[in-house]
Amino acid sequence: MGQVLVVGGANVDVVAQSTGRFTPGTSNPGRTYSSAGGVGRNIAANLGRLGVPTTLITAFGDDTFGRRLRDETAAAAVDLTHAVELPMPSGSYLAMLDADGELVGAVSDMAAAESLRAEHVPEDVVAAAAYVVLDANLSAELLEHVCRAAAAHGVAVVIDPVSVPKADRVLKALHAGPVHTITPTRTELVALTGEDDLDKGVAALRDLGVGRVWVREGASGSTLFAPGSSTHVAAIPADVRNVTGAGDAMAAAYVHALVTGHDDVTAARHGAAAAYLTITSEHTVRPDLTPALIGNVLKEPHS
């Protein structure tokens, strides 16, 4: 099995969920809890749970949050040899959910991840990977640097744009070398391309050398635009408990399937199953996630 290198953000998630309908502009009764998070960190932890040899390059702060992030990530069998500790607070993400587990709003402080520089990502570590997974919590310059190094060594790159405000950081990277897959939402696709039309937006990314555009639409499922084909992958109906981390699990299961020899569409279906398993759990990264668990979900009939 090929190795995967993940370069991206790590932060502590602080989640507040209302017990009733969320009312903006006032205090809502509910509950709060925290967990290790960050797009890159979550993807790496999911990959580790799935048995993929995974290295994570991220920035931890020199604080209690940083120690927690390091310990919980290492517990998922992720190699942190090249992760760095910086003299600053660790990243944090505050999410507000309604009673149904859907996101009402969020604020992220990813200054630590944005402080990573090219010297923190050695070219030989990139060259040793079968896939590199990047998230847009990184600076545009670092994204470009890693994509250029991956292109020089023929390493496949998967990019998660993370959010609309951060999607424009990806544009420089798309000019640095071919990208295997990019995973935008519809709104992130518009931010990346300026195109409101789905097909035109996908075509614009394909013109920039992106091999596969996997457009994610939450409960409506996702559509994988691969060379010569497009496939809609339905979301599995779920009793949602918490949407946090679903997209990260989706990306991880997709990459796991690719490195174990599955085709693109099968890999996307593995991603949908992992997303289902995550949103039906209270955990951002399910501690019991395994390839067998994903396989069982795919075998079950879903209406």
Side-chain angles (χ1 to χ4, degrees):
M1 185 187 301
Q3 297 182 42
V4 175
L5 170 65
V6 181
V7 188
N11 54 263
V12 169
D13 291 335
V14 180
V15 179
Q17 183 171 14
S18 62
T19 51
R21 182 178 178 181
F22 189 91
T23 304
T26 188
S27 175
N28 288 261
R31 67 190 186 99
T32 62
Y33 55 92
S34 65
S35 64
V39 173
R41 194 218 74 89
N42 290 347
I43 292 172
N46 278 299
L47 284 166
R49 298 286 185 203
L50 291 170
V52 179
T54 303
T55 296
L56 173 64
I57 297 181
T58 191
F60 300 119
D62 58 347
D63 53 16
T64 302
F65 277 0
R67 290 186 287 276
R68 176 182 179 181
L69 288 166
R70 184 180 288 276
D71 290 346
E72 292 194 25
T73 307
V78 176
D79 179 2
L80 296 175
T81 303
H82 299 282
V84 299
E85 181 176 291
L86 299 177
M88 61 192 308
S90 294
S92 58
Y93 170 80
L94 172 63
M96 293 177 289
L97 310 179
D98 64 19
D100 296 326
E102 295 294 336
L103 184 67
V104 175
V107 175
S108 63
D109 176 359
M110 300 304 298
E114 292 164 356
S115 299
L116 286 168
R117 296 290 177 260
E119 58 265 27
H120 295 129
V121 187
E123 188 166 339
D124 62 328
V125 178
V126 176
Y131 282 81
V132 171
V133 182
L134 302 172
D135 79 42
N137 287 308
L138 307 170
S139 68
E141 292 73 21
L142 183 55
L143 288 167
E144 182 182 15
H145 162 76
V146 178
C147 284
R148 200 174 300 284
H153 295 281
V155 178
V157 175
V158 176
I159 300 179
D160 186 331
V162 175
S163 67
V164 169
K166 295 180 179 178
D168 63 350
R169 300 180 183 184
V170 175
L171 292 176
K172 273 185 151 183
L174 298 183
H175 292 280
V179 169
H180 182 281
T181 303
I182 191 166
T183 63
T185 63
R186 284 292 296 269
T187 53
E188 290 165 0
L189 180 64
V190 174
L192 280 166
T193 65
E195 296 285 356
D196 291 320
D197 181 81
L198 175 62
D199 291 331
K200 289 181 179 178
V202 170
L205 291 180
R206 297 293 297 277
D207 288 344
L208 291 174
V210 178
R212 296 150 189 84
V213 182
W214 191 13
V215 182
R216 300 185 290 190
E217 299 182 85
S220 298
S222 63
T223 304
L224 179 66
F225 295 86
S229 68
S230 65
T231 305
H232 179 73
V233 180
I236 299 171
D239 181 10
V240 177
R241 301 182 73 177
N242 183 357
V243 297
T244 307
D248 308 333
M250 197 171 181
Y254 173 76
V255 173
H256 166 259
L258 292 176
V259 299
T260 51
H262 293 284
D263 61 75
D264 296 337
V265 173
T266 301
R269 289 179 176 142
H270 279 235
Y276 163 82
L277 287 165
T278 300
I279 65 176
T280 55
S281 163
E282 290 189 349
H283 300 279
T284 303
V285 176
R286 281 187 69 127
D288 61 342
L289 185 67
T290 62
L293 191 60
I294 289 174
N296 289 339
V297 170
L298 292 172
K299 290 175 186 176
E300 295 172 359
H302 299 281
S303 58

